[in-house]
Amino acid sequence: MFSLDDEPATPHLAVYGDMGWHAPPGGALTGTGAFELTVDGDELLVGGAFSGVGGVPAQSVAAWDGADWTAFDLPESTVFALARDGQGDLYAGGLFSVEGSVETGGIARWSGQSWQSVAGGLANPTFRGVVSDLAVRSGELYVAGCFTSAGGAPSEPAAVPAPGLARWAGGAWEALADPGLGVGTAWFTPLKCGDEGPDAIWDAQHQRLFVDGDRLLLGGSFAGAGGVASQSVIALDADDQWIAQGEPGRGFSGATRSLAVGGPECAVHVMGGVTHAGGLAVDNRVMRDDGGAWAPLGPPIPADAYCWQLAVDAAGVPVLGCDLPPEGDLPPEGGVLRLVDDSWQVVSQPFPQGGVATVGFDPAGALWAAGGGGEGFVAREDGGALTVFGTSNGRVASLAFRPVPAGEPVQAVVGGYFSEFEGVPAGGVAHWNGEAWEPLADGIVGSVLAVAYAEDGAIYASTADDGTPNRPILARWDGAAWADVATPEPGPVEAGYAFYSLLARGQYVVAAGFAWPNSGQRNIFVYDGAGFSSLRGGATAIYVESAALAHDGLWFGGTIAEAGPPEARLSSVGIAHLR
């Protein structure tokens, strides 16, 4: 139901003529709605979910020839698209099955008297597929929607794997994108197919097709197609090659998990589940900022290892803290992977306590690693071997070093999901004073996600949003006691805020993670020694997972879509840079 130009409300379909807007000839459409209007020669084709239009009974498809309505009944269906191919055959696409199939559907062809299945229809994967749009290019029919195979269910010998895009040509189905060539995304995907209700189709991944000469344009909610990164709009050229639309920028297809600064140029390095960087296929590699482009380093990270954090030494060699591939039913061991001669090699021996959650190089250049599961650990490299020299009764999740001049004793702080460290009550935080581990008072209420160490000796820690009463959002240790400094915004609250990365420089502490206050300035905040506020509007993201300071500014990684304040958002997918 809608109204136009202050005219009386019209159900679902309206006509504009010499007298303005009015109902269709013969009377209003009855049913859920009209979702497709297609001009076919001298006729107007209407598709949707309805039982009649213009006073004529018609089930979901009807045609107006200027004088009369004609029904093309497609019972129990919702039609989103109508098109006629180069042979003159009329096709309907949408949410329906024909000929009684419960496994396939989504598309049908008009025989002249009834609708018939098109060579087995579409499946997703054991349910019927849904078609969001149809288009005809060079006489061939192109199909977009939510389906995994064309020509039957995936188990059928004649079925063609076709992830949401297919072509019906020469009496056979053809895929338009290789199922093995995916493009990662940093955005949340609703995973709706249109069978959740008529409105759900507008949340589907592939939504609209448009023919422009010999190009076919696809629009929707996607990061690319056929292994080509192109956010939301992409083109298929006359040679059936996918062509990115617009400038790729410096963003990522995927979610960056960890950032690190290192090497002779103090360059930013990135690690995470990323398939493309700046439009370049990188296949889950570590990447380095070369000042104007991303340069992949080494081979892809092993697919059967899950890596949590990245660190880079002074020579520019990256290391990763990972869960190693599990053996049988055993839980995965932890390991540090170092890039050696263009291959990833495990440093020293795996950690049976569990995965490596955090890695870092101390001011003296020594490699540290920490992690675990039910038992946590901290290890340090000495003579090529990583040796455990601190244990806890829970996972160690974060590590930070006090910035000190070379030659001074190394001081460090670790945080995590433990209540004891080296057998002493520690409350989620433990301190290495250069000679031994020690607690910091009673520790912190709640599980510690991230820690940071300032030059003046202050230590900062953030906690998980796990429902723990009275947990601090951003706690500061001044040498004698802990205090929450996350004021005035977002302020101490019992739920809703969790910072995964802390960065302390001078009087400032940057906190990045999940934080959605009512101001709309989200996820990235700064404590300046007196107050806590959004950093230049923050970033629109599911969360921000990592932060790094380089010579050219601050970098942030995570499931990022935009950066900046609500009134001046900038598109910045997967990574954000504040100069």
Side-chain angles (χ1 to χ4, degrees), residues 288-319:
R288 181 186 63 227
D289 174 36
D290 278 354
W294 296 106
L297 297 182
I301 299 169
D304 49 3
Y306 184 87
C307 298
W308 298 85
Q309 198 174 61
L310 162 73
V312 181
D313 68 13
V317 177
V319 297

Side-chain angles (χ1 to χ4, degrees), residues 263-443:
E265 305 298 327
C266 292
V268 174
H269 294 67
V270 181
M271 181 273 293
V274 173
T275 64
H276 296 73
L280 173 70
V282 295
D283 194 21
N284 197 27
R285 287 174 164 85
V286 172
M287 290 158 288
R288 181 186 63 227
D289 174 36
D290 278 354
W294 296 106
L297 297 182
I301 299 169
D304 49 3
Y306 184 87
C307 298
W308 298 85
Q309 198 174 61
L310 162 73
V312 181
D313 68 13
V317 177
V319 297
L320 308 173
C322 306
D323 291 353
L324 297 180
E327 296 184 5
D329 296 331
L330 297 175
E333 294 184 319
V336 175
L337 302 182
R338 175 180 274 140
L339 185 60
V340 180
D341 295 330
D342 204 38
S343 69
W344 292 105
Q345 299 183 12
V346 178
V347 178
S348 188
Q349 298 295 319
F351 296 98
Q353 300 94 328
V356 175
T358 180
V359 289
F361 291 94
D362 67 23
L367 172 63
W368 291 42
E375 178 186 352
F377 67 88
V378 179
R380 181 174 53 193
E381 189 175 24
D382 185 14
L386 280 167
T387 303
V388 173
F389 71 111
T391 61
S392 59
N393 65 345
R395 181 175 174 87
V396 178
S398 52
L399 164 70
F401 303 103
R402 183 175 183 177
V404 294
E408 292 193 13
V410 171
Q411 298 182 54
V413 60
V414 295
Y417 302 81
F418 54 83
S419 58
E420 294 182 357
F421 200 96
E422 288 290 278
V424 176
V429 183
H431 179 245
W432 175 255
N433 62 18
E435 297 180 353
W437 291 101
E438 61 185 6
L440 299 178
D442 294 330

Side-chain angles (χ1 to χ4, degrees), residues 15 86 225 243 349 384 438 473 477 483 488 495 501 533 548 551:
V15 180
I243 308 297
Q349 298 295 319
E438 61 185 6
I473 293 174
W477 171 258
S501 178
S533 60
H551 60 84

